[in-house]
Amino acid sequence: APRPINGETLRAAVAWVVDQQIFAHLKKHGNTTWQVVDLILLAVVWVWSNDATLTGSFAEAHRWSLDVLGRAAVSTYQGLMKALVTWTGSWLPLLWERLHQLMEEQGGKHWRVGRWLALAVDGSRVSTPRTQDNEKAFCAPNYGKGQTARRKKNGKRKRRAVKPQPVKPQVWVTLLWHMGLQMPWSWKTGPSYAAERDHFREMVRTQPFPKNTLFCGDAGFTGYDLWKTMHDAGHSFLVRVGGNVTLLRRLGYVRESAGIVYCWPNEAVRRGQPPLVLRHLRLRVGRRLMHLVTNVLDEKALPNDLAVRLYQLRWGIELQFRTVKQTFGRRKLRC
């Protein structure tokens, strides 16, 4: 039987991205015979299979691999799981680096927006099956046992704040998303009660980024410590702020001009840390009047019209999550 045309296209695309040479320095176990590209292809087809079961998806992926490649990296579902658990941690940063290289080579005018390599940041939850292992790994350990869960003696429930963590097991995904190319850049996962700001701060500290990287976030990515992490790493940011963010004026740390504000909370003062000098932008984005702050003080480097364009592009990251969950039907993971 002839090989599937779509299968050949997928094989060629993945082989182009997953250059075998980027893994040449990694030593596999002595009895390992498969090639990295073969295993990644098998995993890709397994993940995107429409079969409702894990083993059924693997059987489809294994059959596809034999039809298209004439071989399969592993012959059992358990073997695939073992290989992915063993190698994903060391492979993923290498794959990101390769993807970033291709994005720069192929992106053309979309690689940068103005002078900026613009990355949006946002987080979302994805459900997992409700097993004991998943509940232990992803649910908040004391959910429902705190003060807000208690009832009054007369049987009426106390008014309580909405809990940020869900009752069912979910994975929290914090995503960095290339705004010019509309493609994922990198990501970090954690339990359902993870803080996206903590995820993002760790990503800024541990991952390399090109010169003139600008991070764009909504009102969930505010705060002195987070902004200082980006600023100290040599990166720029553009973040929406709300009424819960206190900005000061006329502290005299820099030459004052229109829009100059300072972020200097009491905790930073007590720690002896200097204020962050920012620029406050009051802009109309679409039909909404928004307040944005940036550490780019030079208006020529980040004029108001470019700031509006960047924040409009940021909305695409929310469409990325919706595409994965609704269009691709991956609102709930199979494992």
Side-chain angles (χ1 to χ4, degrees), residues 191-211:
S192 59
Y193 54 91
E196 59 186 359
R197 283 188 289 187
D198 292 341
H199 273 182
F200 177 45
R201 185 159 53 240
E202 184 176 347
M203 294 165 80
V204 172
R205 287 173 176 166
T206 58
Q207 296 180 15
F209 297 95
K211 183 179 180 181

Side-chain angles (χ1 to χ4, degrees), residues 10-69:
L10 176 61
R11 182 202 60 76
V14 173
W16 176 62
V17 174
V18 187
D19 185 346
Q20 189 71 33
Q21 295 304 312
I22 67 177
F23 305 104
H25 67 286
L26 297 178
K27 292 184 178 180
K28 294 185 290 186
H29 299 303
N31 59 348
T32 300
T33 58
W34 44 258
Q35 296 295 316
V36 174
V37 177
D38 293 354
L39 186 68
I40 291 177
L41 271 166
L42 185 65
V44 167
V45 179
W46 169 68
V47 165
W48 291 107
S49 167
N50 287 324
D51 194 286
T53 65
L54 293 169
T55 53
S57 299
F58 176 80
E60 181 181 332
H62 185 264
R63 183 170 58 252
W64 178 93
S65 185
L66 293 176
D67 289 343
V68 176
L69 304 178

Side-chain angles (χ1 to χ4, degrees), residues 9-214:
T9 303
L10 176 61
R11 182 202 60 76
V14 173
W16 176 62
V17 174
V18 187
D19 185 346
Q20 189 71 33
Q21 295 304 312
I22 67 177
F23 305 104
H25 67 286
L26 297 178
K27 292 184 178 180
K28 294 185 290 186
H29 299 303
N31 59 348
T32 300
T33 58
W34 44 258
Q35 296 295 316
V36 174
V37 177
D38 293 354
L39 186 68
I40 291 177
L41 271 166
L42 185 65
V44 167
V45 179
W46 169 68
V47 165
W48 291 107
S49 167
N50 287 324
D51 194 286
T53 65
L54 293 169
T55 53
S57 299
F58 176 80
E60 181 181 332
H62 185 264
R63 183 170 58 252
W64 178 93
S65 185
L66 293 176
D67 289 343
V68 176
L69 304 178
R71 60 186 182 276
V74 294
S75 58
T76 64
Y77 167 72
Q78 291 78 7
L80 176 64
M81 289 295 96
K82 183 177 180 180
L84 293 180
V85 168
T86 301
W87 292 104
T88 297
S90 56
W91 285 0
L92 197 54
L94 299 175
L95 285 171
W96 284 340
E97 184 179 354
R98 171 63 175 164
L99 285 170
H100 301 162
Q101 175 192 344
L102 293 175
M103 291 162 75
E104 182 174 9
E105 291 176 358
Q106 306 296 324
K109 64 180 182 180
H110 302 291
W111 171 243
R112 291 184 179 271
V113 182
R115 73 164 65 180
W116 305 107
L117 185 129
L119 299 177
V121 57
D122 205 353
S124 184
R125 293 187 178 98
V126 184
S127 297
T128 69
R130 194 161 190 170
T131 65
Q132 286 187 348
D133 286 343
N134 283 345
E135 288 187 349
K136 183 178 180 181
F138 299 119
C139 287
N142 296 314
Y143 187 87
K145 300 179 182 178
Q147 292 292 330
T148 57
R150 297 180 181 177
R151 295 176 181 269
K152 287 185 176 181
K153 291 182 179 179
N154 59 9
K156 293 183 179 180
R157 187 182 295 275
K158 293 181 180 180
R159 293 185 63 185
R160 58 183 181 178
V162 177
K163 289 180 178 295
Q165 56 267 43
V167 239
K168 56 187 177 183
Q170 292 184 315
V171 176
W172 184 271
V173 182
T174 302
L175 175 67
L176 284 177
W177 187 79
H178 193 288
M179 291 158 59
L181 292 168
Q182 301 182 16
M183 294 178 62
W185 178 271
S186 63
W187 54 88
K188 185 173 178 58
T189 61
S192 59
Y193 54 91
E196 59 186 359
R197 283 188 289 187
D198 292 341
H199 273 182
F200 177 45
R201 185 159 53 240
E202 184 176 347
M203 294 165 80
V204 172
R205 287 173 176 166
T206 58
Q207 296 180 15
F209 297 95
K211 183 179 180 181
N212 290 331
T213 292
L214 182 142

Side-chain angles (χ1 to χ4, degrees), residues 219-294:
F221 293 91
T222 59
Y224 179 91
D225 291 336
L226 178 60
W227 291 347
K228 190 174 187 301
T229 297
M230 289 186 278
H231 184 78
D232 290 349
H235 306 312
S236 302
F237 59 84
L238 179 68
V239 177
R240 180 168 67 89
V241 294
N244 61 327
V245 176
T246 300
L247 299 173
L248 307 175
R249 298 180 184 274
R250 297 189 178 91
L251 295 184
Y253 273 77
V254 297
R255 185 174 180 177
E256 300 290 344
S257 60
I260 293 296
V261 295
Y262 302 88
C263 178
W264 203 19
N266 292 334
E267 182 61 28
V269 175
R270 285 193 292 269
R271 294 194 299 243
Q273 295 175 300
L276 292 178
V277 185
L278 306 171
R279 189 167 130 236
H280 177 210
L281 308 176
R282 189 170 178 267
L283 304 173
R284 187 164 295 280
V285 183
R287 297 182 179 180
R288 300 178 62 185
L289 183 63
M290 290 190 175
H291 294 265
L292 309 173
V293 295
T294 177

